[in-house]
Amino acid sequence: LEQKIERQIFQEMLRTNKKLFDDTILNFLPASTNTKEIQTLYEMMRDYPSRGGKGVRGSLCVLFCELFSGKKDNALTTAAALELFQNWILIHDDIEDGSEMRRGQPALHKKFGVELAINAGDALHGKMWELLLTNRDQIGIDVSLDILEEFSRMLNETTEGQQMELTWNSSNEWNIEERDYLLMVTKKSAWYTCITPSRLGLLLSLSEKDSDLSKNSRFAEMMDQTIEFGTNLGIAFQIVDDILNLTADESKYGKEILGDLYEGKRTMMLIHLLRTLDQHEKSKVLGILSKPRHEKELGEMKSILELMRKNGSIDYAREIASNKSMLGMRMFENLVRKQSELRPIIYSQTKGLLEYLTSRDY
Amino acid sequence: LEQKIERQIFQEMLRTNKKLFDDTILNFLPASTNTKEIQTLYEMMRDYPSRGGKGVRGSLCVLFCELFSGKKDNALTTAAALELFQNWILIHDDIEDGSEMRRGQPALHKKFGVELAINAGDALHGKMWELLLTNRDQIGIDVSLDILEEFSRMLNETTEGQQMELTWNSSNEWNIEERDYLLMVTKKSAWYTCITPSRLGLLLSLSEKDSDLSKNSRFAEMMDQTIEFGTNLGIAFQIVDDILNLTADESKYGKEILGDLYEGKRTMMLIHLLRTLDQHEKSKVLGILSKPRHEKELGEMKSILELMRKNGSIDYAREIASNKSMLGMRMFENLVRKQSELRPIIYSQTKGLLEYLTSRDY
């Protein structure tokens, strides 16, 4: 019972935060104009932000700020900008990956065409920086600029990770080492899902205090530690997300089930499968995966999934995710030991969020 | 002779500035890494910035800074970021417009595919903000943030203009009023070519002085005036650019001649032509223009060009460009009257640049 109540409180916290981010974003984005073509742009910019999602990255940022004794209010703009980051980059990712669905609806480029969707992504990207500039008055000019630098780093990492994955796709490269996969996932996913949200929360906790703390060596050390724990948890998150794409119930999932197999996405499961197949089976699987998306048949996708089950690829990936997750959680405990005593409720919510990220069953 | 020498000095000024921007950009962008996929990303990011171009927007920013008694050194980072803006947005524009050539070489997406080119554009976009953040130490935190806000405004305007043009293309809309065309061109072209470079130069001139000047009402008035003069000159620039696409010598031009007709670009000439054709001729021309690009034949494009010549559409557009240009120059003279006496050489170079922008013959 206690666990059930705790879970309800946690879900309520996520919902409340998500509402705050949505309000910030939808109040900030332009809504109406007299020029009908531009009106469509505004509708496109508001489309993904209006589609739901759980706001986990923004919540992680807010919780880290509070955990280090910062004020939640000071973190909301930055957390909303994190959510905006995800929205604009998903618009472009969906084009680049050939994804058809996003959060239960057709991807933006499926609704409006690739050309307009690229442009709307750029416009939304610009709005992310513009929103961050409004921090200036609320949290001070120094922390505001540090935050802009964090976003800049996050964008570098994310585009590098995306480049790795896209290159594997476009050059039909299947011979991928686990090490390369882990580097790709760290860049493409861990940075914007775990590392940067934590770092932002830490920085935002400074806005109320003497900003010289940011020059403090203990603070610099903590900022470094977010990279270590966030890398491990971010990898675990992505592996779990990829497993869900193979195993989840479509009605709850929002994206296309087996979509990753249709897209030929390189996942931990696929790397394991290709490693464990004999030469004959491997050629057959690669023959299927290398076909253009529209020539792939559901039966073929299901046969690859079946092979993954048979060869233990999903269990193997789950095991790696679990190890990375445990290691990451230990590093997290280590980083926040002092704060966990000072702020036990926030601590338990942050821990709950990180556990949720790396062990979702929907 | 005197005119020839003046022209040489002017060209030399442009070349010198361009070299400074290129050095700033190419030293700032990442060059090498051990991961081969990311190495390709770095090469893609450096591709357009290495292709030449004249750097007119950066030079306009530098000259405005100097004209208002600012230091050239303080303007270089911002001017280079303006050039970066043009580079990343051209990567995306070339995809959106289906352009095949850029500065004498295949467009980036023609070399690397659309997926990687979208991502490289995003990565370069991120680098623009990152470069602007380095202003912090050199010109102070307040002016740095004002500059970020100017870039944000510029991006809003540019994406809105692009949306208008793309919507006309995708909805096969040819019934365009001159008023709509002028709004589109103001947003898509005048802001980033004239208005924002001038505003940035003005702001940068403050970095050496009491930053309270930016709250001065005369300063705010001047910032407003840049919008008026920049709109007129920016429109003139775009019309002249579009005329060049029809009439220039391909070896000097760098882009595909008649490319705008292949792309079905709505220009002042085309709007005039469609207005002056009888119903029969108009249907025929629209039939040709509405065809997919690869079905268009050179002979058809030349026949439309011939109709434009015959109906005076090019002369009409040139006349509008000339009127806008004269009006804009008068506004410019008015804005900088005091500075033109204080700094006659910089004044004459700035004037030369604005005249060059709106009356290029190559």
Side-chain angles (χ1 to χ4, degrees):
Chain A
L1 181 67
E2 201 180 311
Q3 211 177 358
K4 202 178 157 196
I5 293 173
E6 211 169 80
R7 195 179 171 128
Q8 276 176 356
I9 294 175
F10 172 71
Q11 296 285 0
E12 184 54 32
M13 178 276 293
L14 277 187
R15 259 195 305 275
T16 308
N17 283 348
K18 177 65 164 66
K19 177 83 173 58
L20 292 169
F21 308 150
D22 286 351
D23 288 349
T24 305
I25 289 171
L26 295 173
N27 284 328
F28 182 72
L29 293 179
S32 73
T33 164
N34 291 326
T35 309
K36 68 174 191 300
E37 297 89 349
I38 299 176
Q39 185 65 40
T40 306
L41 173 63
Y42 293 172
E43 284 159 20
M44 293 177 75
M45 290 162 76
R46 301 170 78 86
D47 188 322
Y48 277 19
S50 306
R51 287 196 193 185
K54 300 196 186 64
V56 289
R57 294 165 183 85
S59 273
L60 185 54
C61 166
V62 166
L63 287 169
F64 251 78
C65 173
E66 290 184 279
L67 191 51
F68 286 89
S69 309
K71 277 210 265 182
K72 181 172 179 171
D73 259 8
N74 287 342
L76 289 178
T77 301
T78 307
L82 262 177
E83 297 296 317
L84 263 190
F85 175 79
Q86 201 202 1
N87 283 300
W88 77 255
I89 211 157
L90 283 178
I91 294 174
H92 285 182
D93 271 12
D94 285 344
I95 300 170
E96 291 158 12
D97 299 342
S99 303
E100 316 228 318
M101 299 289 285
R102 172 64 58 192
R103 295 179 188 146
Q105 290 179 50
L108 200 68
H109 66 284
K110 287 281 159 187
K111 286 167 78 171
F112 295 92
V114 167
E115 293 79 6
L116 288 178
I118 296 173
N119 188 56
D122 289 337
L124 204 56
H125 181 176
K127 285 289 168 187
M128 175 189 84
W129 296 101
E130 191 178 328
L131 179 58
L132 287 169
L133 290 172
T134 68
N135 265 330
R136 186 175 183 170
D137 295 326
Q138 191 177 5
I139 62 172
I141 212 159
D142 278 301
V143 175
S144 295
L145 279 165
D146 289 342
I147 284 169
L148 293 173
E149 277 167 12
E150 290 296 326
F151 272 78
S152 172
R153 170 81 188 264
M154 170 173 69
L155 181 50
N156 290 341
E157 297 287 346
T158 310
T159 48
E160 290 186 4
Q162 177 71 347
Q163 178 86 12
M164 290 180 76
E165 193 173 34
L166 289 174
T167 304
W168 296 340
N169 293 343
S170 66
S171 58
N172 207 27
E173 174 67 77
W174 299 100
N175 204 4
I176 292 153
E177 303 282 334
E178 244 173 61
R179 191 184 42 196
D180 298 327
Y181 169 80
L182 293 173
L183 178 64
M184 182 277 283
V185 167
T186 300
K187 285 178 174 289
K188 186 178 168 173
S189 191
W191 269 88
Y192 95 94
T193 304
C194 290
I195 300 172
T196 302
S198 314
R199 291 169 69 83
L200 291 170
L202 252 170
L203 277 169
L204 285 157
S205 76
L206 296 180
S207 55
E208 288 290 298
K209 308 168 199 165
D210 183 353
S211 72
D212 278 351
L213 216 83
S214 63
K215 275 85 189 174
N216 182 309
S217 72
R218 170 71 189 127
F219 185 81
E221 205 181 289
M222 290 195 297
M223 287 293 275
D224 285 344
Q225 286 172 355
T226 59
I227 300 182
E228 291 165 38
F229 101 81
T231 298
N232 283 289
L233 291 178
I235 290 170
F237 163 78
Q238 189 57 55
I239 293 175
V240 168
D241 199 58
D242 291 343
I243 293 175
L244 277 174
N245 188 277
L246 298 177
T247 61
D249 178 342
E250 188 147 19
S251 66
K252 291 183 193 168
Y253 186 58
K255 282 184 275 192
E256 193 186 16
I257 296 293
L258 302 187
D260 288 353
L261 289 178
Y262 281 105
E263 288 170 22
K265 185 172 177 183
R266 280 66 169 167
T267 61
M268 186 58 93
M269 292 74 81
L270 188 59
I271 291 169
H272 178 271
L273 177 67
L274 294 174
R275 199 166 61 207
T276 52
L277 290 175
D278 66 34
Q279 203 50 50
H280 173 72
E281 289 173 312
K282 188 174 167 185
S283 306
K284 209 177 135 195
V285 166
L286 289 184
I288 294 171
L289 289 172
S290 303
K291 289 201 286 189
R293 188 195 167 101
H294 63 274
E295 289 176 19
K296 288 176 179 165
E297 285 164 25
L298 182 60
E300 294 173 328
M301 301 304 107
K302 285 189 171 162
S303 74
I304 294 175
L305 176 60
E306 204 39 53
L307 277 175
M308 284 178 171
R309 286 198 208 281
K310 203 181 95 192
N311 284 23
S313 304
I314 298 176
D315 290 338
Y316 176 79
R318 220 188 287 277
E319 172 87 13
I320 298 217
S322 164
N323 289 342
K324 295 273 177 197
S325 171
M326 277 190 298
L327 179 59
M329 287 308 287
R330 270 210 305 278
M331 291 167 160
F332 164 73
E333 306 276 357
N334 188 37
L335 171 62
V336 304
R337 184 161 302 130
K338 202 172 132 200
Q339 279 70 30
S340 67
E341 288 158 27
L342 290 170
R343 323 210 61 192
I345 295 169
I346 298 290
Y347 164 73
S348 112
Q349 289 190 331
T350 313
K351 197 175 155 201
L353 179 57
L354 294 172
E355 284 168 350
Y356 165 74
L357 273 178
T358 55
S359 64
R360 289 170 305 151
D361 52 2
Y362 59 95
Chain B
L1 181 67
E2 200 180 311
Q3 211 176 1
K4 201 178 158 196
I5 292 173
E6 211 169 80
R7 195 179 171 126
Q8 276 176 355
I9 293 175
F10 172 71
Q11 296 285 1
E12 183 54 31
M13 178 277 292
L14 276 188
R15 258 196 306 276
T16 307
N17 284 348
K18 178 65 165 67
K19 177 82 174 59
L20 291 169
F21 309 151
D22 286 350
D23 288 349
T24 304
I25 289 172
L26 296 173
N27 284 327
F28 182 72
L29 292 179
S32 73
T33 163
N34 291 326
T35 308
K36 69 174 191 301
E37 297 88 350
I38 300 175
Q39 184 64 40
T40 306
L41 173 63
Y42 292 173
E43 283 159 20
M44 292 177 75
M45 291 162 74
R46 300 171 78 86
D47 189 321
Y48 278 18
S50 305
R51 286 195 191 185
K54 301 195 187 63
V56 287
R57 294 165 183 85
S59 272
L60 186 54
C61 166
V62 166
L63 287 168
F64 251 78
C65 173
E66 289 184 278
L67 191 51
F68 287 89
S69 310
K71 278 208 265 182
K72 180 172 180 172
D73 259 7
N74 287 343
L76 289 178
T77 300
T78 306
L82 263 177
E83 296 295 318
L84 263 190
F85 175 79
Q86 201 202 1
N87 283 300
W88 77 255
I89 211 157
L90 284 179
I91 295 175
H92 285 182
D93 271 12
D94 286 344
I95 300 170
E96 290 158 13
D97 300 341
S99 303
E100 316 228 319
M101 298 289 285
R102 172 64 58 193
R103 294 177 188 148
Q105 291 179 49
L108 200 67
H109 66 283
K110 288 281 160 190
K111 285 168 78 170
F112 295 92
V114 166
E115 294 78 6
L116 288 178
I118 297 173
N119 189 56
D122 289 336
L124 203 57
H125 181 177
K127 285 288 168 189
M128 175 189 85
W129 296 102
E130 192 179 325
L131 178 59
L132 288 169
L133 289 172
T134 68
N135 265 330
R136 187 176 182 169
D137 295 328
Q138 191 178 4
I139 62 172
I141 211 158
D142 279 301
V143 175
S144 295
L145 278 164
D146 289 342
I147 284 169
L148 293 173
E149 275 166 15
E150 290 296 326
F151 272 78
S152 172
R153 171 81 190 262
M154 169 173 69
L155 180 50
N156 291 340
E157 297 288 345
T158 310
T159 49
E160 290 185 5
Q162 176 71 347
Q163 178 86 13
M164 291 180 77
E165 193 173 36
L166 290 175
T167 304
W168 296 340
N169 293 343
S170 65
S171 59
N172 207 28
E173 175 67 76
W174 299 101
N175 203 5
I176 293 153
E177 303 284 334
E178 244 174 61
R179 189 184 44 194
D180 298 327
Y181 169 81
L182 293 173
L183 179 63
M184 182 278 283
V185 167
T186 300
K187 285 178 173 287
K188 186 177 167 171
S189 191
W191 269 88
Y192 94 94
T193 303
C194 290
I195 301 172
T196 301
S198 314
R199 291 170 69 83
L200 291 170
L202 252 170
L203 277 170
L204 284 158
S205 75
L206 296 181
S207 55
E208 288 290 299
K209 308 167 199 165
D210 182 354
S211 73
D212 278 352
L213 216 84
S214 63
K215 274 85 190 173
N216 181 308
S217 72
R218 171 69 189 126
F219 185 82
E221 205 182 290
M222 290 195 296
M223 287 293 275
D224 285 344
Q225 286 171 356
T226 59
I227 300 181
E228 291 165 39
F229 101 80
T231 297
N232 283 289
L233 291 179
I235 290 170
F237 162 78
Q238 189 58 55
I239 293 175
V240 168
D241 199 58
D242 291 343
I243 293 174
L244 277 174
N245 187 277
L246 298 176
T247 61
D249 178 343
E250 186 147 21
S251 66
K252 291 184 193 167
Y253 186 57
K255 282 184 275 192
E256 192 186 15
I257 295 293
L258 302 187
D260 288 354
L261 288 178
Y262 281 106
E263 288 171 22
K265 186 173 177 182
R266 279 68 169 166
T267 61
M268 186 59 94
M269 293 74 82
L270 188 59
I271 291 169
H272 178 271
L273 177 67
L274 294 174
R275 200 166 60 209
T276 52
L277 289 176
D278 66 34
Q279 203 49 51
H280 173 71
E281 288 173 312
K282 188 175 168 184
S283 304
K284 209 177 135 194
V285 166
L286 288 184
I288 294 171
L289 288 173
S290 304
K291 289 202 286 188
R293 187 192 169 104
H294 63 274
E295 289 176 19
K296 289 176 178 165
E297 285 164 25
L298 182 60
E300 295 172 327
M301 301 304 106
K302 286 188 171 161
S303 74
I304 295 176
L305 177 60
E306 204 39 53
L307 277 174
M308 285 178 171
R309 285 196 207 281
K310 204 181 96 193
N311 285 23
S313 305
I314 297 176
D315 291 337
Y316 176 79
R318 221 188 286 277
E319 172 87 14
I320 297 218
S322 164
N323 288 341
K324 295 273 177 197
S325 171
M326 278 191 297
L327 179 59
M329 288 307 288
R330 272 209 304 279
M331 291 169 161
F332 163 74
E333 306 276 358
N334 189 37
L335 172 62
V336 304
R337 182 160 304 129
K338 201 172 133 201
Q339 279 69 31
S340 66
E341 289 159 24
L342 290 170
R343 322 209 63 189
I345 295 169
I346 297 290
Y347 164 73
S348 112
Q349 289 192 329
T350 313
K351 198 175 156 201
L353 178 58
L354 294 172
E355 284 167 351
Y356 164 74
L357 273 177
T358 54
S359 64
R360 290 170 303 152
D361 53 2
Y362 60 96

